[in-house]
Amino acid sequence: MRLTKFEHAGLLLEQDGRKLFIDPGSFTSPLTDTANAVAIVITHEHPDHWTPEQLNRVLELSPDATIYAPEGVAAAATDFEITVVHPGDTVEAEPFTLRFFGGRHAVIHESIPVVDNVGVLVDDTLYYAGDSFFVPEGVEVDVLAAPAGAPWMKIAETMDYVLAVKPKRSFPIHEMVLSRAGKDMANGRLQWATEQNGGTFYALEPGDSLDL
């Protein structure tokens, strides 16, 4: 399985000629080469994680792709057929197996509603918690998508999150709100946290790939 990182929260997984897209939102460049997609996972309803335009770019070339998302996305994306998933669900989107965790977005501020959010574990290999620090109990995470910058976090929290998950490998995600200097600083902190448990950090930039 090959992982390609896009800007911000957007990810592409490829295996056996099939594709899985995760969280292609407003900070992610317009998707191209979307043929042979079997599924799209949207972790929550905020526009930096999905837009109608991005979904349509996938569905135009892969009309049978299934969109998996929590109830909040189904309520927001009424023009699309959403397969609602909940924490604890496991679904098969051949050739991918998707397990869902969590349930709620991290708190941004008391004035901002907390929305539905699901983390996803792909093929028991890649774990991405969406906008949360949910640690999947009983799961040995091979590759962790670690948030680098957001209104709902500070880097110390992500460092503690990485220390708790103990991934064998990690890379930064959710970084488009940071300057170049901020990205470099976050990468250094995430590398340190990953290495504390013997893991390896990969400072992936948009367009970079990693074989899983």
Side-chain angles (χ1 to χ4, degrees):
M1 183 168 61
R2 167 161 285 197
L3 160 74
T4 299
K5 175 184 163 38
F6 299 142
E7 296 90 351
H8 203 57
L11 298 174
L12 167 64
L13 284 304
E14 297 176 274
Q15 183 162 297
D16 299 335
R18 302 297 182 91
K19 299 174 184 176
L20 165 68
F21 290 93
I22 301 177
D23 277 6
S26 57
F27 295 163
T28 300
S29 294
L31 296 178
T32 60
D33 193 17
T34 60
N36 300 316
V38 296
I40 308 163
V41 172
I42 304 172
T43 61
H44 64 283
E45 64 197 72
H46 291 159
D48 58 326
H49 292 256
W50 82 281
T51 67
E53 294 80 8
Q54 296 282 42
L55 295 187
N56 281 324
R57 290 182 183 108
V58 178
L59 295 174
E60 181 178 2
L61 296 182
S62 299
D64 295 328
T66 302
I67 304 171
Y68 297 101
E71 291 178 357
V73 174
T78 54
D79 291 338
F80 298 90
E81 182 176 345
I82 306 295
T83 298
V84 173
V85 290
H86 302 90
D89 288 350
T90 298
V91 301
E92 299 292 334
E94 293 292 344
F96 305 98
T97 299
L98 311 175
R99 297 171 59 192
F100 294 95
F101 296 85
R104 304 295 284 169
H105 192 288
V107 174
I108 302 172
H109 186 264
E110 62 182 10
S111 65
I112 299 174
V114 177
V115 300
D116 296 331
N117 178 94
V118 291
V120 61
L121 179 68
V122 181
D123 287 355
D124 290 327
T125 299
L126 168 71
Y127 181 61
Y128 168 47
D131 282 7
S132 81
F133 291 121
F134 188 86
V135 177
E137 294 185 6
V139 175
E140 292 187 6
V141 175
D142 183 355
V143 181
L144 175 68
W152 48 270
M153 57 155 282
K154 59 183 179 181
I155 197 62
E157 293 173 308
T158 302
M159 293 168 71
D160 286 341
Y161 172 62
V162 174
L163 291 170
V165 175
K166 300 180 178 65
K168 296 176 183 176
R169 294 177 283 178
S170 72
F171 67 94
I173 199 168
H174 213 285
E175 82 293 0
M176 293 303 286
V177 295
L178 300 176
S179 66
R180 180 68 261 173
K183 292 179 185 180
D184 292 341
M185 182 186 69
N187 284 346
R189 301 293 188 267
L190 297 177
Q191 178 176 347
W192 176 89
T194 304
E195 291 176 349
Q196 298 314 294
N197 289 295
T200 302
F201 176 76
Y202 295 85
L204 299 184
E205 294 287 339
D208 288 349
S209 295
L210 184 65
D211 287 326
L212 308 185

